[in-house]
């Protein structure tokens, strides 16, 4: 089945640690995204990538980093510089980042700082 | 600057009746609108979309209406079923005020369908 796979589903991070969330898609989509959801808020864009080896900051990129070495993969690293990392993280993809294209989401990853 | 707003955080509807979820946007450059359904601790699932060149799109029990002059869209679910109970997000896409192409999401409306 085609889809977007995120792992792990639940992750605990100690203060000062970097953690990486995995996102893989087999939809052959060019564009991939990372969003963050906090209680009572909409989805906020962290980073996006339109093609391999290229990515741009979203609205809340500080404390995060990404890479796009393969079309199928767009991992997100939450660094120790991210002051409030506890949240629900969503990876998404679309055929292209342009008019008329639907974004599809993975199942999400919960990150908790302990 | 909240460009997409869902002013009702929650809505309760009796099973079999119509559910109407509303969404307002401020940027006239948005040209594609989407609705998603989300259960707790899961990713949003795409429901239905509409292009700005249309004013209505229907898919089974779900219909989305777009009023461009009012910058308003709504999702109608008829008849509502208990399994429809979830959080519904609207999203608008197009050239944002910063000049880049964006998908902007509302804060969601929690729908509860009462059996």
């Amino acid at each position: 089945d085609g889809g977007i796979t995120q792992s792990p589903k639940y992750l605990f991070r100690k203060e000062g640690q970097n953690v990486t969330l995995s996102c893989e898609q087999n939809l052959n989509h060019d564009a991939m995204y990372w969003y963050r959801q906090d209680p009572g808020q909409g989805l906020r864009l962290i980073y996006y990538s339109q093609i391999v080896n290229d990515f741009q900051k979203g609205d809340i990129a500080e404390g995060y980093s990404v890479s796009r070495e393969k079309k199928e993969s767009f991992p997100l690293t939450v660094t120790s510089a991210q002051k409030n990392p506890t949240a629900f993280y969503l990876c998404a993809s679309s055929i292209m980042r342009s008019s008329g294209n639907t974004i599809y989401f993975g199942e999400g990853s919960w990150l908790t700082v302990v | 600057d909240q460009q997409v707003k869902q002013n009702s955080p929650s809505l309760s509807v009796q099973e079999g009746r119509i559910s109407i979820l509303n969404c307002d946007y401020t940027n006239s450059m948005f040209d594609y609108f989407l609705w998603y359904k989300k259960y707790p601790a899961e990713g949003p699932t795409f429901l239905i979309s509409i292009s700005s060149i249309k004013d209505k799109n229907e898919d089974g029990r779900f219909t989305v209406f777009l009023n461009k002059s009012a910058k308003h869209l709504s999702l109608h679910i008829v008849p509502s079923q208990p399994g429809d109970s979830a959080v519904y997000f609207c999203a608008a896409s197009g050239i944002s005020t910063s000049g880049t192409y964006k998908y902007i999401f509302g804060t969601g409306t929690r729908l509860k369908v009462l059996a």
Side-chain angles (χ1 to χ4, degrees):
Chain A
D1 284 353
I4 301 169
T5 302
Q6 290 186 238
S7 63
K9 179 70 175 180
Y10 299 96
L11 185 61
F12 297 90
R13 190 194 93 171
K14 293 182 179 179
E15 294 281 354
Q17 273 186 339
N18 293 352
V19 293
T20 298
L21 306 179
S22 169
C23 177
E24 303 277 333
Q25 55 98 359
N26 60 5
L27 301 169
N28 199 32
H29 284 174
D30 286 313
M32 297 189 73
Y33 313 79
W34 275 104
Y35 286 88
R36 167 179 172 147
Q37 186 190 16
D38 293 284
Q41 296 197 35
L43 307 179
R44 293 185 292 166
L45 182 64
I46 304 173
Y47 267 97
Y48 66 93
S49 167
Q50 300 187 85
I51 55 173
V52 174
N53 292 324
D54 184 54
F55 48 82
Q56 283 80 40
K57 293 181 179 180
D59 300 316
I60 55 165
E62 184 176 352
Y64 300 97
S65 66
V66 293
S67 62
R68 186 87 186 275
E69 298 177 2
K70 298 187 299 182
K71 185 176 183 178
E72 305 79 21
S73 178
F74 191 42
L76 173 74
T77 296
V78 185
T79 75
S80 57
Q82 169 49 237
K83 298 306 178 188
N84 186 22
T86 296
F88 189 54
Y89 290 87
L90 288 159
C91 179
S93 70
S94 64
I95 293 175
M96 294 176 63
R97 192 169 182 271
S98 60
S99 180
N101 286 286
T102 298
I103 283 189
Y104 297 93
F105 287 88
E107 288 296 303
S109 294
W110 275 106
L111 172 62
T112 303
V113 173
V114 296
Chain B
D1 177 21
Q2 197 172 352
Q3 298 185 59
V4 177
K5 294 181 182 179
Q6 294 177 257
N7 292 317
S8 298
S10 64
L11 173 69
S12 291
V13 172
Q14 207 67 34
E15 181 180 6
R17 307 295 289 269
I18 183 171
S19 295
I20 300 176
L21 298 115
N22 294 304
C23 181
D24 297 295
Y25 62 96
T26 57
N27 187 350
S28 58
M29 295 297 287
F30 290 144
D31 58 8
Y32 189 59
F33 304 88
L34 311 96
W35 283 96
Y36 291 85
K37 176 181 181 180
K38 186 182 181 300
Y39 294 116
E42 293 185 11
T45 302
F46 170 70
L47 277 176
I48 192 169
S49 62
I50 188 167
S51 165
S52 61
I53 62 173
K54 295 185 176 181
D55 55 17
K56 177 182 174 181
N57 188 27
E58 196 170 351
D59 184 1
R61 295 186 299 117
F62 302 93
T63 302
V64 55
F65 294 93
L66 176 63
N67 182 335
K68 282 178 291 185
S69 60
K71 295 190 180 66
H72 176 83
L73 66 153
S74 60
L75 175 68
H76 293 209
I77 306 174
V78 183
S80 301
Q81 300 173 353
D84 295 331
S85 297
V87 176
Y88 290 79
F89 289 96
C90 69
S93 65
I95 302 298
S96 72
T97 51
S98 63
T100 58
Y101 193 87
K102 283 194 173 182
Y103 296 83
I104 308 291
F105 289 82
T107 53
T109 296
R110 183 177 302 278
L111 173 66
K112 188 172 184 180
V113 180
L114 307 170

